[in-house]
Amino acid sequence: MTRGTARHALIGALLLVAAPVAFAQDDCTLSFGRGWPPATGNHGAAVEQLFTGDVQPAVSLVWLPATGKERGIALIPGAEGAAWTLRVSEADERVHVWSGGSARGGVQFRTEQTPDRDEVRMPVPLAQRVASLWQQALERAAPQGVNAPLQDRGLVSFLVNGERFSGVAPDCGPAELLFEQVDLLVEASNESESKQEKRWQQLDAALDELQQSLSGQAPAND
């Protein structure tokens, strides 16, 4: 498998998909909600199955672009308190395709493929902190009763501790900070152990900022 392919593609993809749209919270507007948007659940489930198989991640993020290859990250708990696994994946070829031109044409999901994948071990306390704070940020971005809206462009979907949140990547509010942390996770997935330690420290500091944002506190000055 080609290491690094998923890493560079995912960072660029997440930056491209971020855009302001529709749920008002002060001056912050989001297009985000609970569950899958209409007509995307089968696509998303096929991509998650390709990336994680029978493994049950505590945190999963998949990007379903309007065109091009699907990508994602997952945090997978270790057995009996062992280190978690950080996995960054990219489909080898687009999963969701349209097969037309015949009576049997229609949407197909190409899941008989091997995705590109980078994996590293991640400290347990840090991974657990990501899962907890991401869930809090996403619950604020998508309160109970707000369903994921229909999308006609790239979609991001999180599954955190069994709760699904989907929409256009937030570009304001606490949930925006998640995507800075996604960049750190993706970078860490393809680095040496010595560089990973620095990346974990940066992620921990970024989680401090997210926690302060969630509590309404101004970031502390160094």
Side-chain angles (χ1 to χ4, degrees):
M1 300 181 190
T2 304
R3 295 184 61 84
T5 301
R7 175 171 62 96
H8 293 297
L10 182 62
I11 291 174
L14 290 172
L15 291 175
L16 286 172
V17 74
V21 266
F23 157 88
Q25 180 180 328
D26 297 325
D27 293 330
C28 179
T29 57
L30 305 175
S31 182
F32 219 67
R34 302 283 180 118
W36 290 109
T40 60
N42 289 341
H43 181 194
V47 172
E48 287 185 331
Q49 176 65 26
L50 176 65
F51 289 166
T52 59
D54 295 331
V55 173
Q56 296 295 321
V59 177
S60 172
L61 165 62
V62 292
W63 179 55
L64 309 179
T67 60
K69 300 175 184 179
E70 299 87 351
R71 305 170 183 99
I73 67 172
L75 299 183
I76 304 165
E80 300 181 355
W84 288 31
T85 297
L86 164 63
R87 177 183 295 176
V88 176
S89 305
E90 179 186 21
D92 185 57
E93 57 181 351
R94 182 172 172 83
V95 175
H96 179 283
V97 293
W98 176 262
S99 177
S102 72
R104 301 179 65 182
V107 173
Q108 295 183 356
F109 300 115
R110 296 188 292 203
T111 56
E112 298 299 321
Q113 57 170 293
T114 301
D116 290 334
R117 180 179 295 165
D118 293 324
E119 287 188 355
V120 296
R121 297 297 183 187
M122 185 172 179
V124 174
L126 184 60
Q128 290 175 332
R129 194 175 184 213
V130 169
S132 175
L133 289 174
W134 282 23
Q135 183 170 11
Q136 293 177 48
L138 291 164
E139 287 174 346
R140 183 170 298 186
Q144 286 285 359
V146 177
N147 295 327
L150 182 67
Q151 299 292 339
D152 59 0
R153 50 178 162 162
L155 165 76
V156 292
S157 184
F158 293 84
L159 184 65
V160 183
N161 295 325
E163 292 285 337
R164 183 167 302 283
F165 308 87
S166 306
V168 175
D171 73 338
C172 59
E176 179 187 16
L177 300 175
L178 271 60
F179 290 91
E180 299 174 11
Q181 295 161 27
V182 166
D183 287 353
L184 293 172
L185 289 168
V186 174
E187 290 290 347
S189 72
N190 193 241
E191 291 181 326
S192 66
E193 188 172 339
S194 60
K195 290 185 177 179
Q196 283 170 14
E197 182 59 34
K198 180 179 180 181
R199 203 67 68 192
W200 299 146
Q201 292 172 1
Q202 292 174 331
L203 178 59
D204 201 39
L207 290 168
D208 286 343
E209 182 181 359
L210 175 58
Q211 188 167 18
Q212 291 165 358
S213 178
L214 288 167
S215 65
Q217 300 174 2
N221 294 320
D222 295 330

